[in-house]
Amino acid sequence: MAVPADRFAALTHDLGILYGGDYNPEQWTPDVWREDARLMREAGVNLVTVGVFSWARYEPAPGVRDFAWLDEVLDVLHAQGVAVDLATPTASPPAWLGHRHPDTLPVDADGVRLVAGSRNHFSPASSVYRDSALAVTRDLVARYAGHAAVRMWHVGNEFGQVCFGDESAARFRVWLQERYGSIGALNEAWGTTVWSQHYGAFEEILPPRRTVYHVNPTQALDFRRYSSDLLLELYREQRDLIRAVDPVRPVTTNFMGFFPLVDYWSWAPELDVVADDQYPDPTDPWAPADSGLVQDLMRSLGDGRPWMLMEQATAAVSWRAHNPPKSPERARRESLQAVARGADGVCFFQWRASRAGAERFHSAMLPHAGADTRVHAGVRRLGADLHRLRSVVGGRVEARVVMLFDWASWWAAEEQARPTVRLGVLDQLRAWYRPLWQAGVAVDLAAPGADLDGYDVVLVPQSYLVTKTAARRVEDAVDRGASVVVGPFSGVADENAHVRQGRFPALLRDVLGVSGEEWVPLPHAGVELRLAAPLQALLDAACPDGSPGRATTFGELLRSDGAEVLATFVGGHLDGGPALTRRVPPGGGQAWYLGCVPDEQLLGRVLGEVLDGAGVGGVLPAVADLPGVEAVRRGTATFVLNHTDLPVSVPVPGARTDLLTGARCGDLVEVPAGGVVVLDDRVGTAGR
Ligand code: GLA
């Protein structure tokens, strides 16, 4: 069979939007498999992920293989037209492995060796674990690569394991040797002159295990880099094994949004399709916007290509302290939100609710109460919806705004002993994203240093580590006319997390025309800002009662080096100093600097002004004034999602047909409470 240029696109071209969930047949008997497969077909399910946790079943004793039951499962599914995303079972080794080889079990930072009895109980550094994982994977792949039901491969599950044990320490040293070449270079990079931390040889180095006091921040940063690279090695070796036998079907693994232990920018190019597990908290009022950010990240990780929502909940999860279920309408809306933002697959954890084990209270597509339930009716409805959206498959979201984010900078910015723990990288990212989400403005994410051509607005909410390349990209963007906005505590450090010398934000100083000398956490109540005339006019429009803008959390002692000062601090340590500046170089774009965390309203206004200045608007201007209503454009389709519990009318010029209902819409589109409308330019436009 010819190898398609885009393996995932070839699959969705064939099957349409992928719909289904994790299926754990080892928990059920063959009669239940038959019932499941039938119900799947009736619900419109076309893909299930099988075998994620089946290792103990495949290999009940060392070296023994039992695949016969899986033969039957695959045949049963195939007979009902349900394709399989077959998992390598390596996330959860059998108990015998840890029993016979305790060194396969992970050790935490306190030196405690964790035991079997839950899942993920493996050290990614253990050679025995890795050999055992590859052996079972090799046999699984050899047996099923030719099976007609298998259309996709799923390596492991939610990679994110960390081990501080001896074998991990040994591999860490090798990684460090490769990175630094000599112990002298490592000492330099880690700043070991501080606190007498000098190392005489690599053998002396350990992972950042429990220490008496704060650990060396560069050691901690490098251990995170190493742990992410080590897991990627595991993914790759299983992926390569599959690839050698099956060059055609897509291979992936499931990400976890802004997961703190793995650098997904380095992982994404190794996946045929980016896949993600998303469990927004239904009690969080900002969940829809924050999900939008995660989904935009997933699309961006895949360079704009369609991605896959691999797992989510139909109703309740069981791992938070308090787990209220979401409604079927919400589950539908969240699924369609993912499609709007580029997903060509919508799956759940899991198909049939477990009756035993740690996830017995986790919702599923088929609840304990069976098919005659509200949840399952919702599942069937969603299956039908996704079928109707087949025409969006492959469609792209086009963004003129890009937001910079990367893992190393996040890690370094949040190491121990910093100006304030109240300034969080993700908090900043979310705060900057929310007004854009509300305005229906499409946003991509990019790693600092990536090519920014094609974007008119570049947002840098907090970039702590700034490399020369990253700084040059920002300068180039301003030079070619883009607007750039940089937030506080940026440009602080180099790749080794050493504070750059001179006034901050170091490499970004010139382009921004502003520089600073002191980082200043602010009192809880924040600090008043005095806004210069142009900004005051903006805020007055937003805030007719004249309440001033405020800086919260964090400010900086700055001076303008040529930038226009748009806001200054009033009172306190920073009294009279600039809080917000803008440099407009001749012939270039605009370079804004926010030397504080502004209140929500002021931040929204500032970003709004930047977008207006750059001529960037939302998909449907009207949604900006409809809080909780989201508009996204994907390909030729416009999605309008109403996250509120009241119906809304949204002006959409040119009548169209709603792909979901087939109803003709007037210029004023009615979106029911909690509902979604999808308007495709190619379908039912008036006058065509
Ligand atoms: C993740 C895991 C699943 C399951 C769900 C529960 O997505 O991959 O195995 O534990 O969480 O929400």
Side-chain angles (χ1 to χ4, degrees):
M1 209 187 287
V3 178
D6 181 333
R7 297 182 177 94
F8 183 67
L11 181 62
T12 53
H13 177 77
D14 205 14
L15 299 184
I17 296 178
L18 305 176
Y19 182 50
D22 276 32
Y23 183 43
N24 294 304
E26 63 276 14
Q27 297 177 18
W28 306 100
T29 49
D31 55 317
V32 179
W33 301 341
R34 286 177 172 72
E35 185 191 352
D36 281 333
R38 179 178 56 77
L39 289 171
M40 285 173 191
R41 182 181 43 74
E42 287 173 14
V45 165
N46 57 11
L47 182 93
V48 288
T49 301
V50 175
V52 173
F53 297 110
S54 303
W55 191 346
R57 188 74 192 264
Y58 296 148
E59 190 171 7
V64 173
R65 296 284 182 264
D66 177 7
F67 289 127
W69 65 277
L70 187 64
D71 294 350
E72 188 177 340
V73 170
L74 296 189
D75 290 346
V76 166
L77 291 168
H78 189 56
Q80 294 290 350
V82 179
V84 170
D85 167 31
L86 189 57
T88 67
T90 51
S92 208
W96 57 255
L97 186 70
H99 183 67
R100 288 167 65 111
H101 303 282
D103 53 346
T104 61
L105 296 165
V107 175
D108 73 9
D110 289 337
V112 175
R113 196 175 282 285
L114 308 179
V115 297
S118 177
R119 66 175 185 189
N120 301 337
H121 46 280
F122 66 87
S123 164
S126 159
S127 309
V128 173
Y129 161 75
R130 284 166 69 160
D131 290 348
S132 311
L134 287 178
V136 71
T137 297
R138 188 174 294 110
D139 291 350
L140 181 82
V141 174
R143 188 171 180 110
Y144 296 110
H147 198 292
V150 177
R151 301 297 302 271
M152 184 166 175
W153 297 96
H154 188 290
V155 175
N157 194 56
E158 296 192 333
F159 279 96
Q161 298 68 31
V162 181
C163 179
F164 293 79
D166 292 341
E167 207 171 346
S168 188
R171 285 189 194 261
F172 184 37
R173 289 178 203 124
V174 172
W175 185 93
L176 290 168
Q177 242 153 354
E178 275 165 19
R179 183 175 177 88
Y180 295 112
S182 72
I183 196 69
L186 177 139
N187 278 305
E188 182 62 34
W190 284 18
T192 56
T193 48
V194 176
W195 289 354
S196 181
Q197 289 176 350
H198 179 85
Y199 292 99
F202 281 97
E203 291 68 41
E204 295 166 11
I205 295 173
L206 289 170
R209 295 179 182 159
R210 175 67 70 95
T211 44
V212 175
Y213 192 44
H214 296 141
V215 79
N216 180 310
T218 316
Q219 178 188 4
L221 174 62
D222 274 349
F223 189 68
R224 285 176 174 274
R225 287 173 166 145
Y226 147 80
S227 297
S228 175
D229 287 356
L230 179 66
L231 286 170
L232 182 55
E233 220 173 274
L234 261 65
Y235 166 81
R236 275 207 208 107
E237 60 193 14
Q238 293 178 45
R239 189 268 323 265
D240 290 350
L241 215 150
I242 295 167
R243 187 57 78 235
V245 182
D246 179 357
V248 172
R249 297 176 183 85
V251 184
T252 191
T253 186
N254 40 351
F255 289 171
M256 292 170 275
F258 287 94
F259 179 70
L261 300 179
V262 173
D263 170 3
Y264 290 147
W265 287 121
S266 67
W267 278 60
E270 307 284 343
L271 278 55
D272 287 314
V273 54
V274 169
D276 195 47
D277 298 348
Q278 298 174 2
Y279 296 94
D281 183 347
T283 66
D284 178 354
W286 276 114
D290 296 351
S291 289
L293 174 61
V294 170
Q295 294 168 350
D296 290 351
L297 172 68
M298 291 306 139
R299 186 185 66 247
S300 304
L301 283 166
D303 219 5
R305 288 189 303 278
W307 55 283
M308 202 177 156
L309 176 51
M310 186 60 93
E311 290 182 34
Q312 56 173 336
T314 54
V317 299
S318 54
W319 41 262
R320 293 193 177 99
H322 187 66
N323 297 303
K326 59 190 182 194
S327 65
E329 289 69 32
R330 186 173 184 130
R332 171 179 186 261
R333 198 168 64 247
E334 289 179 354
S335 301
L336 296 177
Q337 183 188 23
V339 175
R341 293 184 180 275
D344 274 352
V346 171
C347 296
F348 291 87
F349 175 83
Q350 59 179 327
W351 164 257
R352 182 183 277 271
S354 300
R355 65 184 167 189
E359 296 187 307
R360 66 207 179 286
F361 292 119
H362 197 290
S363 61
M365 300 174 84
L366 186 63
H368 295 299
D372 182 17
T373 48
R374 200 169 70 144
V375 165
H376 191 69
V379 165
R380 289 181 175 222
R381 180 185 182 199
L382 180 57
D385 285 330
L386 294 175
H387 193 70
R388 292 188 196 103
L389 293 183
R390 192 178 175 124
S391 60
V392 307
V393 166
R396 299 290 183 112
V397 174
E398 303 294 340
R400 294 172 61 195
V401 179
V402 67
M403 206 178 248
L404 302 190
F405 166 79
D406 83 311
W407 270 264
S409 183
W410 177 22
W411 293 334
E414 297 190 3
E415 291 298 354
Q416 296 168 324
R418 57 187 193 270
T420 171
V421 295
R422 293 192 207 144
L423 183 71
V425 172
L426 291 192
D427 292 340
Q428 292 306 298
L429 209 64
R430 291 185 188 119
W432 287 45
Y433 181 82
R434 285 169 187 171
L436 283 83
W437 176 84
Q438 181 56 67
V441 173
V443 180
D444 283 343
L445 282 94
D451 183 359
L452 302 175
D453 279 3
Y455 293 108
D456 297 310
V457 174
V458 179
L459 302 179
V460 191
Q462 190 192 328
S463 206
Y464 175 84
L465 296 189
V466 174
T467 62
K468 286 188 182 140
T469 313
R472 205 172 43 247
R473 296 287 195 193
V474 168
E475 281 169 358
D476 290 350
V478 174
D479 284 350
R480 69 169 166 76
S483 294
V484 171
V485 192
V486 178
F489 212 39
S490 288
V492 175
D494 64 16
E495 294 92 318
N496 295 325
H498 293 200
V499 175
R500 288 197 187 273
Q501 298 303 284
R503 300 175 68 85
F504 62 79
L507 304 180
L508 298 173
R509 237 168 20 215
D510 291 348
V511 66
L512 295 167
V514 64
S515 67
E517 63 179 81
E518 206 173 9
W519 296 288
V520 184
L522 299 180
H524 261 305
V527 167
E528 195 178 311
L529 296 175
R530 181 178 305 113
L531 308 179
L535 197 62
Q536 187 64 56
L538 266 175
L539 201 74
D540 283 347
C543 191
D545 65 356
S547 70
R550 291 190 85 73
T552 67
T553 315
F554 193 78
E556 294 177 341
L557 182 57
L558 300 173
R559 82 167 178 227
S560 165
D561 298 329
E564 176 187 9
V565 176
L566 293 173
T568 48
F569 295 98
V570 179
H573 192 79
L574 295 170
D575 188 35
L580 169 62
T581 62
R582 175 176 55 184
R583 177 172 165 262
V584 186
Q590 302 198 349
W592 295 67
Y593 187 64
L594 263 166
C596 66
V597 176
D599 65 74
E600 192 182 312
Q601 192 176 46
L602 179 57
L603 178 63
R605 285 284 136 181
V606 168
L607 295 178
E609 176 64 9
V610 172
L611 294 173
D612 287 351
V616 175
V619 168
L620 294 174
V623 303
D625 300 319
L626 296 169
V629 178
E630 175 179 1
V632 188
R633 179 119 177 120
R634 180 177 177 193
T636 55
T638 301
F639 288 68
V640 189
L641 301 108
N642 180 2
H643 298 280
T644 77
D645 44 20
L646 291 174
V648 288
S649 307
V650 183
V652 183
R656 291 177 179 80
T657 302
D658 176 6
L659 291 182
L660 293 171
T661 57
R664 293 278 294 180
C665 303
D667 282 353
L668 209 53
V669 174
E670 307 292 328
V671 191
V676 181
V677 165
V678 185
L679 308 162
D680 193 319
D681 291 355
R682 296 170 303 190
V683 185
T685 305
R688 280 194 207 161

